[in-house]
Amino acid sequence: MVVYDAIVKRQSQLTAQYYQLILEAPAVAEQARPGQFVHVKVNGLDDAALRRPFSIYNAADGMLAIVYKTVGRGTALLPLLRVGDVLSVIGPLGNGFPEVSADCVPLAIGGGYGVAPLSFLARKSGRRGTLLVGARTENDLLCLDDFEELGWDVMVTTQDGSQGAQGVVTDLLDGWLAKHKDVVPEVFACGPSGMLQAVGERALGAGIKAWLSLDRRMICGVGACLACVQQLRRPDGSEWTGRVCHDGPVFEAREVIW
Amino acid sequence: MVKQIDMSVNVGGIAMQNPVTVASGTFGYGMEYSQLIDIRHLGAVTVKGVRLQPWPGNKLPRHAEVPGGLVNAIGLQGPGVDRFITDYMPPLQEAGVPVIVNIWGTSEEEYAEVAARLDGVSGVAGVEINVSCPNVKEGGNAFGTDPLLVSSLVRAVRRSTKLPIIPKLAPNVPAIAVFARAAAEAGADALSLINTIPAMVIDVETRRPVLSNIVGGLSGPAIHPVAVKLVWEAAQAVRIPIIAMGGITGPQQALEFMIAGATAVAVGTANFIDPTTALRVIEGIANYCVRHGYSAAREISGTVIVEKSK
Ligand SMILES: Cc1cc2nc3c(=O)[nH]c(=O)nc-3n(C[C@H](O)[C@H](O)[C@H](O)COP(=O)(O)OP(=O)(O)OC[C@H]3O[C@@H](n4cnc5c(N)ncnc54)[C@H](O)[C@@H]3O)c2cc1C
Ligand SMILES: Cc1cc2nc3c(=O)[nH]c(=O)nc-3n(C[C@H](O)[C@H](O)[C@H](O)COP(=O)(O)O)c2cc1C
Ligand code: FES
């Protein structure tokens, strides 16, 4: 974990609301693992503005990439970054996803920008798996090529039916689980809380492991302020209060008390 | 060759190598930031508030970003004083930096007991008494807005520990001087101010308060001028040293506090945005000394020039 002045190398618009930002940040990139995130100080916001957390989409050769959606006053300013601009980042932060277990098939489940850390996971896992994606419309689908290039199966559903079957991602999961009774999947999921909770419940029901990357509003990102707490359960049943930024953002479905 | 500036200060018996600490609740228990800055360079580490027992704090959301700052209602979540000592003190002891422990409770007896348990713990240099947290219903601000209660509370803590004690005063009082004097006369070794200012944020779309606790405390640059005024007034009212905080983002605000009369300063909310702020402040104070011909940082304290109008 370092605080680092990254240099903007490239920025591209992926869809109407999504952008990819590539930063030169060797000190962060070298340490980065899938599921970890960076805490970004957005240029142009007032002095007191908090940093914004973004999952690491890729890290290689001293470069660090994030994929972001413009949703508010901070992400509205990020598209104004130009090549050569300096952007302060703290990272890599959080625990990240564990390695895929040797006897399991990786099953990645993502919604919206949640696909970004899963792409990094797929790239690093060295094993082929399946990606199940849920999105509101076809405009919220991103990074699917990454998975296809790695030889992953990709299954898509949209709420408005603009691409793939109309529905939500747990429909895909139910179908997949029913069809693949012969293999043991290990789930890696990132997306909105409702989706994660539903995925977690399915995993518990099916007796499989599911690693869920939680999204919480953060202040410090390093475990100091206690803004992002989550109630958790230990294997022995006792409860504890974790910090999503420091003890997470990835937790196993059995740990999370919704 | 720049001549060596003596940066050391003594805050009511706490020997600090420089006048800069971090504000309680904005730096965890010290180690959280240890990968980002060398905490041994700080004058002291002030840790998150602890009470006698573990405390869960408030439900989420616990914060809201606002122009010029942050409104928080963390609700003093913490491990309780015993686990603080066993689990969180050892790495700080190893770092060798003086530790100021922020304490709270819901009764005088609880405050006194927490302070007593910290007495004699290696590395604990002082106790900051939070009489002013707006985020818990019991205790906290209830003590801080009545000078008689402050006085009685400080006396109780004074009897229970030999450590330097530093009441942290509430900003939302009509006359800070009254509270500063009450605390000093009750045996305080130093004062700390200001805590966050009670505040509220409403989501206009849902017409609901943003914080689960409904109200919280405002911190950050927005409160800095308020804090300068209160520090200036308190410094005139008492002779004991003051640790000043509220909206420090760099050397400028820290120097304002010292000129207004503070002996030391604490960096709070700014740690979240730029974790190197405290180190920048230390350097900036040293540079200021060079520019203004001071040989010691403590010479800055209380040098404000207020012309009397005729
Ligand atoms: C671990 C983690 C990983 C994330 N990864 C990505 C990613 O890869 N791509 C991406 O586009 N977004 C990601 N997000 C969400 C992203 O942090 C928010 O969209 C962003 O902070 C919004 O900032 P804003 O200024 O545009 O919004 P505003 O609404 O103006 O922000 C106001 C405040 O709320 C916070 N906030 C608002 N929405 C969220 C949210 N959904 N999650 C957390 N904080 C929020 C902001 O950080 C800020 O402090 C991630 C969040 C977390 C916690
Ligand atoms: C997230 C957060 C948590 C805090 N927790 C405590 C606390 O536990 N005890 C306390 O006395 N003050 C607490 N404070 C108040 C700070 O120590 C400080 O007095 C205040 O934030 C003003 O300084 P600043 O503007 O530099 O942040 C907290 C402030 C913030 C922002
Ligand atoms: S954001 Fe500060 S503890 Fe997680």
Side-chain angles (χ1 to χ4, degrees):
Chain A
M1 180 203 307
V2 290
V3 48
Y4 193 83
D5 282 339
I7 298 169
V8 174
K9 280 288 157 186
R10 196 146 55 85
Q11 163 130 267
S12 46
Q13 188 163 7
L14 303 176
T15 66
Q17 276 194 295
Y18 286 92
Y19 293 77
Q20 184 190 153
L21 180 62
I22 299 178
L23 302 167
E24 186 178 83
V28 183
E30 276 158 21
Q31 302 172 26
R33 286 181 285 109
Q36 291 187 301
F37 66 95
V38 287
H39 218 16
V40 175
K41 186 171 186 305
V42 179
N43 298 351
L45 286 179
D46 55 295
D47 277 359
L50 299 174
R51 287 172 180 264
R52 270 57 174 160
F54 297 98
S55 300
I56 296 169
Y57 166 56
N58 198 2
D61 308 325
M63 300 292 167
L64 186 80
I66 62 171
V67 168
Y68 65 88
K69 183 181 187 184
T70 51
V71 295
R73 69 185 193 108
T75 48
L77 288 172
L78 288 177
L80 304 178
L81 287 169
R82 292 291 168 258
V83 172
D85 285 355
V86 174
L87 191 69
S88 172
V89 300
I90 299 177
L93 297 173
N95 59 358
F97 290 112
E99 304 254 331
V100 183
S101 307
D103 46 353
C104 293
V105 174
L107 184 58
I109 304 179
Y113 54 75
V115 177
L118 299 174
S119 166
F120 192 21
L121 175 103
R123 223 181 281 273
K124 288 273 166 182
S125 82
R127 303 247 304 278
R128 280 187 221 155
T130 301
L131 170 73
L132 310 180
V133 210
R136 267 190 320 121
T137 73
E138 59 182 344
N139 296 326
D140 295 297
L141 289 165
L142 52 147
C143 311
L144 303 187
D145 297 349
D146 303 348
F147 293 86
E148 280 158 3
E149 278 164 23
L150 292 162
W152 282 50
D153 290 329
V154 175
M155 297 173 71
V156 175
T157 179
T158 50
Q159 282 170 31
D160 65 352
S162 52
Q163 190 168 329
Q166 187 171 1
V168 291
V169 79
T170 38
D171 301 337
L172 292 181
L173 177 58
D174 291 338
W176 194 95
L177 290 173
K179 231 173 97 183
H180 296 84
K181 295 233 187 296
D182 48 329
V183 294
V184 183
E186 184 168 8
V187 171
F188 300 87
C190 187
S193 283
M195 184 205 106
L196 295 178
Q197 189 172 354
V199 167
E201 278 162 13
R202 300 295 199 289
L204 256 61
I208 57 178
K209 271 209 175 122
W211 301 98
L212 312 176
S213 179
L214 270 46
D215 186 337
R216 287 287 176 282
R217 295 193 174 223
M218 295 179 176
I219 303 179
C220 70
V222 300
C225 75
L226 308 176
C228 66
V229 294
Q230 172 66 41
Q231 212 44 28
L232 299 160
R233 195 183 295 110
R234 295 192 189 84
D236 69 7
S238 62
E239 288 188 22
W240 65 293
T241 309
R243 296 153 293 177
V244 169
C245 65
H246 179 267
D247 305 302
V250 178
F251 298 99
E252 209 281 315
R254 280 151 196 81
E255 292 179 90
V256 181
I257 300 172
W258 294 100
Chain B
M1 215 3 236
V2 186
K3 91 179 149 149
Q4 201 61 36
I5 304 293
D6 178 2
M7 292 290 284
S8 69
V9 293
N10 191 298
V11 178
I14 305 172
M16 290 168 50
Q17 60 180 337
N18 64 59
V20 183
T21 182
V22 284
S24 174
T26 67
F27 210 71
Y29 303 99
M31 299 318 290
E32 291 85 349
Y33 275 106
S34 62
Q35 289 185 54
L36 296 176
I37 69 162
D38 189 344
I39 63 168
R40 291 171 306 179
H41 292 160
L42 298 172
V45 167
T46 307
V47 297
K48 175 77 188 163
V50 290
R51 66 178 300 187
L52 199 51
Q53 303 298 335
W55 186 250
N58 293 326
K59 293 206 168 64
L60 303 191
R62 289 178 169 187
H63 76 281
E65 190 184 63
V66 294
L70 172 69
V71 178
N72 93 83
I74 304 294
L76 296 173
Q77 181 187 325
V81 67
D82 294 334
R83 259 199 57 214
F84 165 72
I85 293 168
T86 55
D87 296 3
Y88 295 91
M89 272 309 291
L92 288 168
Q93 286 158 346
E94 197 160 311
V97 62
V99 177
I100 299 172
V101 183
N102 183 282
I103 68 165
W104 70 283
T106 59
S107 66
E108 266 181 32
E109 294 73 25
E110 183 175 1
Y111 276 95
E113 181 60 29
V114 177
R117 292 194 192 186
L118 291 165
D119 207 344
V121 175
S122 156
V124 175
V127 173
E128 184 177 61
I129 311 169
N130 183 0
V131 298
S132 49
C133 183
N135 296 334
V136 284
K137 289 191 184 66
E138 312 97 299
N141 224 344
F143 288 101
T145 49
D146 178 341
L148 292 176
L149 290 180
V150 168
S151 168
S152 169
L153 178 62
V154 173
R155 260 179 242 284
V157 176
R158 176 73 293 161
R159 283 192 296 271
S160 71
T161 183
K162 289 183 292 297
L163 287 165
I165 59 171
I166 313 165
K168 182 166 175 178
L169 301 182
N172 49 316
V173 294
I176 198 77
V178 174
F179 289 80
R181 271 189 226 108
E185 282 161 16
D189 299 290
L191 297 177
S192 203
L193 57 148
I194 62 175
N195 209 319
T196 54
I197 299 175
M200 179 171 178
V201 183
I202 294 172
D203 181 329
V204 296
E205 295 306 320
T206 63
R207 298 198 306 280
R208 287 177 167 77
V210 171
L211 302 180
S212 77
N213 191 54
I214 304 171
V215 296
L218 177 64
S219 65
I223 72 171
H224 176 67
V226 178
V228 173
K229 184 235 185 205
L230 292 169
V231 166
W232 178 63
E233 288 176 348
Q236 292 172 83
V238 295
R239 304 187 59 120
I240 54 177
I242 292 173
I243 306 178
M245 65 208 75
I248 296 178
T249 54
Q252 161 84 32
Q253 297 80 25
L255 287 162
E256 274 188 64
F257 279 136
M258 293 180 75
I259 293 166
T263 298
V265 296
V267 175
T269 301
N271 292 310
F272 302 138
I273 296 138
D274 176 6
T276 69
T277 305
L279 303 184
R280 281 196 291 112
V281 169
I282 295 167
E283 201 184 306
I285 293 171
N287 289 340
Y288 182 86
C289 288
V290 173
R291 276 195 293 121
H292 288 262
Y294 293 121
S295 56
R298 58 183 166 274
E299 292 168 19
I300 303 169
S301 293
T303 54
V304 64
I305 301 164
V306 182
E307 313 277 2
K308 290 210 178 68
S309 55
K310 298 209 177 91

